[in-house]
Amino acid sequence: MKLVVLAGGGGTRLFPISRNSFPKQFLKLATEKSLLIETIKRFEKEIAPEDIIIVTNKEYKHHVLTELKAWGLERAHVILEPIARNTAPAIALAVQYCREVLKADDTECVLVTPADHVIKPVEAVLAAAAKAEALSSGGYFITFGIVPDKPETGYGYIKASKDTISTTAFTVERFVEKPNREKAEEYLASGEYYWNSGMFAFSVGAFMKELEAHCPDICQLVQEGHHNAIECFEQMPNISIDYALAERSQRVAVIPLELKWSDVGSWDALYDILEKDDEGNALKGDCVAIDCNNSLLVGSDRLVAAVGLENTIVVETNDVIVVAKKGESQKIKDLVEQLKTQKRKEVNEHTTTYRPWGSYTILTESIGYKVKRIMVLPGERLSLQMHYHRSEHWVVIAGTAKVTIGEQEIMVHESESVFVPKSTKHRMENPGKIPLEIIEVQTGAYLEEDDIVRFNDIYGRIDEK
């Protein structure tokens, strides 16, 4: 069995923690592992890393590679989408990769899962995956439906027919969009509807046959070869696998799953999966609550202290604080859209930005200057680069830096500093065993990240800004 993990989404429904530059799949929400790593680890007992394909946006390449390296999963395969084109093209690209690169034959089962869901217990998922693998040999396109425990309006639904394929699978009568409250209550009471989990399973041959029948434009592009499909990816329709195949195929089956599942698609959804105190409060981070009830407090950089709150959500980062009424957090997407129209950079960027070599955090900035705290991982190095419009002053606060400035190479230790003039080639690297931390003070008329000219880079970013 091959596992395809869809990790290209840039959702902001968990704004301000999740942003376009660092979306939900890389967040550590329920445990100390990111949702991406939790997803991969869910299947590690049955599927080896070399049989795992992660499909992500090219902008998230280094996030994915860093996560895989940290957890010893470098043997997993990573496919980079040049542009977002929804789940149908992404899955088609992965299936062609399985055929062409991994030499999977038409009978091999492919299991597809989003990278950002929370599912417990793991054993129930593995058992369902085994059932799906058996069904896939019959040419079925298999979905996994979550048995609902409440009238949820934030999920799509699957209606199962009364026709059974096996003791644990039914044919699908129809897919239903997110309902209103009244319809959701009706679906729950009927016992015939399941939440659409976004997970699928099928054989390679069955998928390509259904793709040819229902989405020939995608099928033609991928059948011309994996590399060709990458080059022509922008020509593919922006369509989900539900619309492209699941709702059109006559070979769709659903396996019901009765377990704890969430797509963590809102702050209310996160509240549901977190542990609560005796007053029903979920606290994550450095938080103190007095006389509060049924509220969610999330702190990232500072103490969050609340008094007398009820059914309230408070989420803090070092540049944005969001306060919402519990039950209304789906409207965060409306807030984000308004911020987009105002061209607010907070929609896309955190003050901390992650790079393949480490990270940097903007501490303060104004006209003519910017101050960053930079962390370089042991053994890593920044690109050899220069800037036309800014000079930089580096002060080492932890570790040892190996610094190149022009033709000079020097070692800079804790409490020592070095100056980098404008238009001078320079590089910083960490030759030590502990993280290197420096304070960088930039001065100049233009201080944006696109004022970087790279000459050499071990991460292949010469053409990137």
Side-chain angles (χ1 to χ4, degrees):
M1 179 185 285
K2 299 293 188 284
L3 175 67
V4 173
V5 181
L6 303 177
T12 53
R13 290 184 293 174
L14 291 183
F15 179 82
I17 303 296
S18 173
R19 307 192 196 183
N20 287 334
S21 64
F22 197 73
K24 183 176 59 169
Q25 58 266 32
F26 304 114
L27 300 180
K28 300 173 183 177
L29 296 177
T31 70
E32 290 307 305
K33 300 183 186 73
S34 69
L35 292 178
L36 171 62
I37 296 301
E38 286 283 1
T39 300
I40 296 172
K41 288 286 188 180
R42 194 173 296 143
F43 299 95
E44 66 178 345
K45 291 182 180 179
E46 302 295 333
I47 304 176
E50 55 266 31
D51 288 324
I52 297 173
I53 303 96
I54 300 162
V55 186
T56 191
N57 190 288
K58 67 176 183 178
E59 302 298 329
Y60 305 143
K61 170 185 175 181
H62 299 300
H63 292 321
V64 172
L65 294 179
T66 299
E67 289 278 293
L68 295 178
K69 182 178 179 181
W71 291 94
L73 297 166
E74 295 96 328
R75 289 179 296 160
H77 306 264
V78 179
I79 297 176
L80 301 176
E81 300 171 292
I83 190 172
R85 276 293 180 266
N86 218 313
T87 54
I91 294 171
L93 198 62
V95 172
Q96 180 61 25
Y97 186 91
C98 289
R99 300 172 77 199
E100 186 177 328
V101 180
L102 304 185
K103 306 304 180 184
D105 62 29
D106 282 353
T107 65
E108 177 123 30
C109 181
V110 177
L111 178 66
V112 179
T113 180
D116 55 1
H117 292 183
V118 173
I119 304 175
K120 297 179 181 179
V122 169
E123 293 73 19
V125 180
L126 295 179
K131 295 172 186 175
E133 185 174 22
L135 281 177
S136 70
S137 63
Y140 287 100
F141 187 92
I142 300 130
T143 66
F144 297 84
I146 309 300
V147 177
D149 58 6
K150 60 183 177 181
E152 176 62 56
T153 60
Y155 302 147
Y157 284 71
I158 300 168
K159 185 181 182 184
S161 75
K162 299 187 184 302
D163 297 330
T164 59
I165 297 171
S166 70
T167 55
T168 55
F170 304 85
T171 58
V172 171
E173 183 173 317
R174 63 189 178 105
F175 289 79
V176 183
E177 293 292 329
K178 297 174 184 178
N180 58 31
R181 180 75 181 187
E182 183 180 354
K183 278 291 184 184
E185 290 175 349
E186 179 184 318
Y187 296 161
L188 179 65
S190 74
E192 298 176 334
Y193 290 82
Y194 304 97
W195 291 336
N196 187 349
S197 70
M199 295 189 293
F200 304 92
F202 41 76
S203 70
V204 169
F207 178 83
M208 295 307 296
K209 182 179 179 180
E210 294 294 306
L211 192 68
E212 184 176 18
H214 303 293
C215 238
D217 45 355
I218 295 179
C219 187
Q220 181 178 352
L221 288 173
V222 298
Q223 284 186 329
E224 291 176 3
H226 173 73
H227 291 295
N228 177 74
I230 291 285
E231 292 177 0
C232 301
F233 202 70
E234 292 187 25
Q235 299 175 26
M236 294 196 188
N238 188 353
I239 187 171
S240 72
I241 194 67
D242 298 75
Y243 288 136
L245 294 187
E247 296 184 11
R248 300 177 182 179
S249 173
Q250 301 301 309
R251 302 287 295 171
V252 183
V254 59
I255 295 178
L257 289 176
E258 193 163 6
L259 42 65
K260 190 176 182 65
W261 173 87
S262 174
D263 72 348
V264 203
S266 68
W267 289 112
D268 285 294
L270 180 62
Y271 171 85
D272 288 340
I273 65 174
L274 293 178
E275 291 186 9
K276 319 292 191 300
D277 63 19
D278 293 339
E279 285 73 41
N281 300 306
L283 310 179
K284 186 173 176 60
D286 190 7
C287 302
V288 176
I290 297 177
D291 295 331
C292 295
N293 295 282
N294 303 319
S295 293
L296 171 65
L297 305 182
V298 178
S300 298
D301 295 278
R302 291 164 286 190
L303 168 67
V304 175
V307 178
L309 296 182
E310 186 171 348
N311 296 318
T312 303
I313 295 169
V314 180
V315 183
E316 174 271 340
T317 66
N318 62 4
D319 61 338
V320 178
I321 297 173
V322 168
V323 181
K325 182 180 179 181
K326 199 157 155 286
E328 298 286 333
S329 68
Q330 291 283 358
K331 294 181 181 178
I332 293 291
K333 62 182 180 181
D334 300 326
L335 170 65
V336 170
E337 286 303 315
Q338 183 171 331
L339 294 175
K340 284 181 180 179
T341 62
Q342 297 173 0
K343 302 188 184 306
R344 298 292 302 243
K345 65 180 181 179
E346 291 88 349
V347 173
N348 298 311
E349 303 172 4
H350 279 283
T351 54
T352 295
T353 298
Y354 295 91
R355 291 288 187 255
W357 44 260
S359 65
Y360 67 83
T361 300
I362 298 174
L363 302 179
T364 186
E365 62 181 317
S366 189
I367 297 174
Y369 73 89
K370 182 183 290 185
V371 181
K372 293 180 178 179
R373 184 186 184 105
I374 297 176
M375 187 278 290
V376 184
L377 295 167
E380 303 296 339
R381 62 172 66 178
L382 282 69
S383 59
L384 180 64
Q385 58 185 252
M386 62 164 278
H387 314 291
Y388 287 114
H389 303 291
R390 72 177 185 246
S391 59
E392 297 173 341
H393 193 97
W394 296 340
V395 182
V396 176
I397 58 175
T400 297
K402 183 179 180 180
V403 174
T404 300
I405 302 177
E407 300 300 319
Q408 185 182 21
E409 189 176 277
I410 58 175
M411 304 299 287
V412 186
H413 305 92
E414 290 180 17
S415 302
E416 297 177 349
S417 63
V418 66
F419 177 72
V420 182
K422 294 178 185 176
S423 303
T424 302
K425 290 183 181 181
H426 60 278
R427 164 177 270 163
M428 180 196 330
E429 57 186 290
N430 181 0
K433 303 296 184 183
I434 65 172
L436 165 66
E437 296 186 38
I438 76 164
I439 298 297
E440 175 183 272
V441 180
Q442 303 176 358
T443 56
Y446 185 79
L447 303 174
E448 298 305 317
E449 289 302 303
D450 57 357
D451 181 26
I452 298 177
V453 180
R454 290 191 173 97
F455 299 96
N456 181 271
D457 182 66
I458 63 174
Y459 311 108
R461 300 173 299 161
I462 294 298
D463 296 327
E464 298 178 20
K465 294 297 183 183

